Every structure is written in structure tokens, then in C-alpha cells.
Amino acid sequence: MRNPRSILITGASSGIGAALARLYAAKGVALTLGGRDAGRLAKVAADCRSAGAEVREAIVDVTNLAAMEGWVAEADRLRPVDLVIANAGISAGTADGEEGAEQLRAVFAVNVDGAFNTVLPLLPAMRQRRRGQIALMSSLASFRGFPGAPAYSASKAALRVWGEGLRGDLHRTGITVSVICPGFVASPMTSDNPFPMPMLMPVEQAARIIRRGLAKDRARIAFPLPMYAAAWLLGALPPALTDSWMRRLPKKR
Ligand SMILES: NC(=O)c1ccc[n+]([C@@H]2O[C@H](COP(=O)([O-])OP(=O)(O)OC[C@H]3O[C@@H](n4cnc5c(N)ncnc54)[C@H](OP(=O)(O)O)[C@@H]3O)[C@@H](O)[C@H]2O)c1
């Protein structure tokens, strides 16, 4: 969608979500911003108001289905949502040992259920209006299971594949779906990665690429290109060829 006027973003208190909120903020734009850290979210909201946007921010945990249904429905009632960006996410890895059940479930609860809780309450109204754009924040880590972050890469794969299917399923309803697959972006999420991050990108640059891709209704917004090519190849090669190399990669904390 070229000029969305009502945009809902989860995980807007930090990193990519905050950068997207600031980038879209302008006169005539209504932003509904969600996050958990009240101080950081208020700062982002204030910046967006200074840029002329109408902003409603809320402390809401994406894993809380009832709270999300209420928040999203209210936002849509006040300003019918043109674009929803299901961005909130957490990362976790195996640098400190094997991944336990608790970590696995926590990552899926936020990254997968949290995205469902963001998007699904909007679908009936978007269907009725025959208009709307859904953006799902996946990752280049979705193209291959990483031993250093099994749950994280699996959660992002689930989101990517769901989004690809949903895009086709919603074809002809007037609703479009884009899946965003960034490489390394400099944010609090990556700030303590104990390994070199090739082609690490500033968060503002990532937000600009995402906005451009969404304006063109791209099915997949994957960047930077050389990292996308590498991730794609890793996913395409037989695991038997890549397993031992993958095992030697540094692990996420
Ligand atoms: N940075 C990268 O290199 C990279 C690459 C590929 C994909 N991604 C994805 O991009 C998205 C944003 O990541 P980021 O780099 O911007 O990380 P970030 O700075 O850590 O931001 C994560 C955001 O998600 C919110 N969040 C986390 N758990 C939540 C919950 N249970 N309920 C509501 N909000 C929650 C956080 O809110 P609070 O801070 O208020 O708790 C924060 O606003 C994530 O989905 C991530 O997986 C990032």
C-alpha cells in the first residue's frame, strides 16, 4: 500500500519497530503503537507526535490474546487499520547450552502466537472493507534451522511460511500480505551477539527498505541481497552438505 493512513505496529518501543513508527510518522497518519516498556514507548510516541502523526500507544503483551483482541479491535474502530506490522519478537540461542522447553515455548509464544494475536483480530474487518495490508516480521534465519538458535529460526520459518500461504489465501479479498526477512540489523536484539555480524545494517536503513517493499506490495522483503542469497542457498542445499559447517557457527545467547 502506497500511503497507509492508519498503521498498527507491535514492538514499537525499540529497534526496527520504533524506526518504522518514526519513519511513517507524518501529518495525516494515525499510528497505533504497542510495546511493553512504558518509558521507551512513550519516547517513540512523542517523536512521532512531533512529526505530526496522531498516536495512540499502549502497553500490551502480544502473548495475551484477550488484551490483544481488545486493543486491536479498539484501534480499528477508531481508525480502520490500513497496515498492520506484526513486528514484536524475542531472540534466544544455545550459547549457554542446549535449548530447553521453556525457552522454546517462550520464543514461539511471542514470535508466532504474538503475530497471530496481532493479525487475526483484524482479518474480519479488513475482509469486510476489502482493504488492508499485513506485514509479518520474519528473518533470514527462517531459511535454515540454525543450531545456535533452533526455536528462533523455527519461529521465523513458521511466520514466513504462514505469510506466504496467507497471501495466496487472501488473494481476491483486497488484503495483501508481505513477509519481511531482514539480515543483521543493529538493535538491542543484536547488540549482545558475541560474534561478528556480516553486513550489519543501521535500523533506519532497514526501516526504509521495509517501507519501500511494503509500498510495492512485495511478497517477500528480504535484505541485504548478498545475505539473502546466502540464506536461500543454505536452505536449498541438502542438510548433509551443510550440517557440519552449521554446527561450527557461533551461537546466539
Ligand atoms: N535485529 C535484527 O537483526 C533482526 C533480524 C531479523 C529479524 N528481526 C526481527 O525484527 C523484530 C524486531 O526486532 P528488533 O531487532 O527491533 O529487536 P528489539 O529492539 O529487541 O525490539 C523487540 C520489540 O518487541 C517487543 N516485544 C518483545 N516481546 C514482546 C511481548 N511479549 N509483547 C509485546 N512486545 C514485545 C519489545 O518490546 P519492549 O522492548 O517494550 O519489551 C520491542 O519493542 C523481531 O521480530 C525480530 O525477530 C530482527
Side-chain angles (χ1 to χ4, degrees):
M1 195 177 288
R2 217 156 265 288
N3 281 309
R5 289 290 162 210
S6 172
I7 304 165
L8 185 147
I9 306 173
T10 61
S13 52
S14 174
I16 301 174
L20 282 167
R22 290 186 172 110
L23 186 64
Y24 278 109
K27 202 166 175 323
V29 173
L31 293 173
T32 304
L33 307 179
R36 292 175 308 179
D37 185 288
R40 280 191 276 107
L41 187 62
K43 169 84 178 75
V44 177
D47 291 349
C48 294
R49 281 191 192 98
S50 305
E54 176 193 317
V55 185
R56 292 181 70 248
E57 74 269 34
I59 301 304
V60 56
D61 190 317
V62 292
T63 64
N64 183 334
L65 174 59
M68 286 297 287
E69 282 178 337
W71 176 59
V72 169
E74 174 70 354
D76 195 63
R77 192 183 62 75
L78 292 172
R79 291 290 296 260
V81 173
D82 295 323
L83 166 64
V84 53
I85 307 180
N87 163 74
I90 56 172
S91 74
T94 55
D96 303 327
E98 278 172 29
E99 185 156 62
E102 204 178 318
Q103 179 168 303
L104 167 80
R105 290 185 197 284
V107 168
F108 267 71
V110 178
N111 295 5
V112 181
D113 276 340
F116 294 163
N117 294 345
T118 308
V119 168
L120 296 182
L122 280 171
L123 275 184
M126 284 185 168
R127 264 207 190 90
Q128 211 167 29
R129 293 194 287 272
R130 299 194 61 77
R131 175 184 163 80
Q133 183 170 23
I134 295 166
L136 300 172
M137 189 59 74
S138 178
S139 166
L140 288 186
S142 69
F143 288 91
R144 168 61 155 99
F146 281 76
Y152 181 77
S153 43
S155 72
K156 293 300 178 182
L159 215 51
R160 177 170 59 77
V161 176
W162 180 54
E164 289 164 2
L166 191 64
R167 181 177 171 94
D169 190 29
L170 294 179
H171 184 62
R172 291 185 207 293
T173 65
I175 305 169
T176 63
V177 183
S178 297
V179 178
I180 305 163
C181 301
F184 290 115
V185 177
S187 76
M189 183 177 280
T190 48
S191 62
D192 70 341
N193 276 351
F195 47 81
M197 290 177 273
M199 307 194 76
L200 180 69
M201 179 180 286
V203 79
E204 295 79 12
Q205 188 183 353
R208 284 194 298 274
I209 293 170
I210 292 167
R211 184 184 177 157
R212 257 198 321 271
L214 291 176
K216 291 181 177 158
D217 183 28
R218 294 258 191 263
R220 180 182 292 168
I221 303 165
F223 58 92
L225 192 58
M227 293 294 283
Y228 174 33
W232 185 89
L233 187 65
L234 263 182
L237 288 170
L241 283 184
T242 54
D243 265 352
S244 69
W245 183 76
M246 293 292 292
R247 279 197 299 271
R248 287 197 298 271
L249 285 180
K251 298 175 180 351
K252 238 172 152 46
R253 284 216 175 90

